Amino acid sequence: MMWDEKIECMSLEDMKELQLKRLQDVVKTAFDEVPYYHKRYTEEGIFPEDIQTLEDIEKLPFTTKTDLRASYPFGLFAVPQKEIIEIHTSSGTTGKPTVSGYTKEDLDTWGEIIARGFTMMGIDENDIIQNTHGYGLFTGGFGVHYGGQKIGATVVPISTGQTLRQIELMKDFKSTMLIFTPSYGLHIAEELKEQNIKPSDLNLKAIGFGSESWTEEMRQQIENKFNTPAYNIYGLTEVMGPGVAMECSEQNGLHLNEDHFYPEIIDPNTMKQLPENTSGELVLTTLTRVGMPLIRFRTRDITKIHHETCGCGRTLVKMDKITGRSDDMLKIKGVSVFPSQIEKALLSVDGVEPHYQIILTRPGVLDQIEVKVEASPNLVFDNVKELVGTRDKIAQAIHDEIGLRVNVNLVEPKTIDRVDSGKAVRVIDKRNE
């Protein structure tokens, strides 16, 4: 089952032809209508007519979050204010938030790309989608909402939190799809277990999750706890929101909607393009965005892309799950470490729950790493030998993964703060305090 078979199964040659036409159009629009791009391109001696091939995109400078913040709030809009009918922003935790403006056409596109993804997951007009993503300025809730409506499904816009109410509605409404962040999904699973509600008591047939980093081990835990497939959803506020890429039934990478978002992989150090199947930083150019086109936006997300005919029959470029970020990489004792590496290691050990925090300190001149992780309820705390054995296994698994020694602190179940709204805080860096 496909939502738009013509696009989703388009040949590579035809896709590149479509991309080039749209790239030329968006560069001209940005140059003509967005003062930031007009000034930047003029200063660098680059003009729309210089884009004759897809390879010419490398002539264009990158756009970064810093550029978006410098243009706050509406400096990157390409249309008059009256044509922007919706605004979303990033969290703004590191300064001014980045603003994303949408025209009616943009919202239609947003719903369209989510509809493609939901169809990949087997969702249609007969389904009931319970959306626990936050509404408001966060893009997650609305993107899912528009896509669900586009395919004709029933959307339950409950948003994040009210966990007991979530469970009640899942049962009463017989929700068939659940949307959540991985950490909040695990929190729901905990409450289901406490209430002695089994997965077979629910009607779920699919889970859509994203907005946080996760490991394959965490996905397996989610699927086991809910007894249903969990599909990855990727997006970012600046470019559109969720739906830039989504996973199909094969669950071995995400189909990136390359007719709307032109992808590049670059080396974050040299800024040069990398070949397919090479890991690097994802750079995206919006090809159809009307209200706020972005050209060569550095996502900071680390992945790789490759063209192939998927087992589901689609030819849209595949993107691997995000393995980390070029800007949230932790430099510890001279070693580059991604939090996802630590998560992968600790979840490979029996006797722990998928709730943890990485705490970095520098009491003297050397970095110290503490990994606080919850023990499973069946791990007896008065059995010192068992606790020490589990703790040592975790420490060894992390050492094997990142090559550094860490201090593992096993804590009792439910002592690490749960997320009832927003995203889980996985890293606490106290080194500069």
Side-chain angles (χ1 to χ4, degrees), residues 9 77 97 113 117 163 194 197 294 328 333 374 379 409 419 430:
C9 297
F77 289 177
I113 60 177
T163 305
E194 284 211 353
I197 298 174
L294 284 184
D328 74 357
K333 298 180 181 178
E374 288 185 9
L379 194 63
N409 182 9
V419 179
K430 299 180 177 181

Side-chain angles (χ1 to χ4, degrees), residues 4-268:
D4 186 346
E5 187 171 352
K6 178 181 177 182
I7 290 292
E8 294 175 62
C9 297
M10 183 174 281
S11 70
L12 181 59
E13 182 179 311
D14 288 345
M15 179 61 73
K16 286 188 177 298
E17 184 178 336
L18 176 63
Q19 288 173 328
L20 177 58
K21 180 182 183 306
R22 289 181 171 179
L23 176 63
Q24 291 170 327
D25 289 345
V26 76
V27 170
K28 186 175 190 319
T29 296
F31 184 85
D32 291 344
E33 306 297 338
V34 182
Y36 164 79
Y37 282 116
H38 184 91
K39 181 175 183 291
R40 184 87 183 271
Y41 290 177
T42 300
E43 287 175 347
E44 300 201 18
I46 300 168
F47 301 95
E49 54 268 26
D50 294 330
I51 307 302
Q52 297 297 318
T53 68
L54 283 176
E55 289 70 29
D56 288 336
I57 195 171
E58 289 194 87
K59 298 177 181 178
L60 302 171
F62 295 104
T63 306
T64 67
K65 278 193 175 185
T66 300
D67 298 320
L68 270 65
R69 292 190 176 107
S71 302
Y72 178 88
F74 305 145
L76 284 173
F77 289 177
V79 297
Q81 181 65 52
K82 64 182 180 180
E83 294 182 32
I84 299 291
I85 64 170
E86 189 164 310
I87 288 175
H88 291 276
T89 73
S90 66
S91 61
T93 54
T94 56
K96 284 287 188 182
T98 56
V99 174
S100 194
Y102 303 76
T103 64
K104 182 181 184 301
E105 295 90 342
D106 294 330
L107 294 186
D108 287 342
T109 298
W110 200 4
E112 181 74 17
I113 60 177
I114 293 279
R116 286 183 192 174
F118 281 167
T119 305
M120 293 179 198
M121 302 172 190
I123 301 299
D124 59 25
E125 69 273 11
N126 298 307
D127 286 289
I128 298 175
I129 301 172
Q130 187 162 323
N131 186 12
T132 82
H133 275 340
Y135 283 70
L137 290 175
F138 174 54
T139 56
F142 280 93
V144 168
H145 194 97
Y146 296 143
Q149 289 184 330
K150 177 76 78 169
I151 64 173
T154 302
V155 181
V156 183
I158 187 170
S159 194
T160 308
Q162 310 174 74
T163 305
L164 295 179
R165 181 71 168 147
Q166 298 273 7
I167 292 170
E168 181 182 24
L169 294 187
M170 285 167 61
K171 294 181 65 180
D172 293 348
F173 292 178
K174 301 187 185 306
S175 304
T176 56
M177 185 180 202
L178 195 58
I179 304 290
F180 53 53
T181 60
S183 56
Y184 188 56
L186 290 168
H187 182 42
I188 294 174
E190 278 187 331
E191 292 295 338
L192 287 170
K193 186 175 181 180
E194 284 211 353
Q195 295 185 42
N196 293 317
I197 298 174
K198 302 180 181 64
S200 56
D201 297 330
L202 305 173
N203 289 75
L204 293 176
K205 71 177 190 182
I207 286 169
F209 69 102
S211 298
E212 287 180 338
S213 63
W214 56 276
T215 58
E216 198 60 44
E217 289 79 8
M218 185 172 279
R219 190 224 292 263
Q220 289 301 316
Q221 290 215 18
I222 289 170
E223 293 189 334
N224 291 339
K225 289 176 186 295
F226 288 93
N227 194 30
T228 192
Y231 300 99
N232 191 9
I233 300 173
Y234 173 77
L236 56 165
T237 299
E238 295 81 6
V239 171
M240 180 66 82
V244 172
M246 297 176 74
E247 215 169 23
C248 68
S249 55
E250 297 292 307
Q251 291 182 294
N252 63 354
L254 303 90
H255 289 284
L256 196 152
N257 289 300
E258 58 181 320
D259 56 320
H260 294 289
F261 312 101
Y262 182 73
E264 302 171 75
I265 298 294
I266 66 165
D267 182 320

Side-chain angles (χ1 to χ4, degrees), residues 382-390:
D382 57 7
N383 187 332
V384 176
K385 184 177 179 181
E386 186 177 8
L387 282 174
V388 171
T390 301

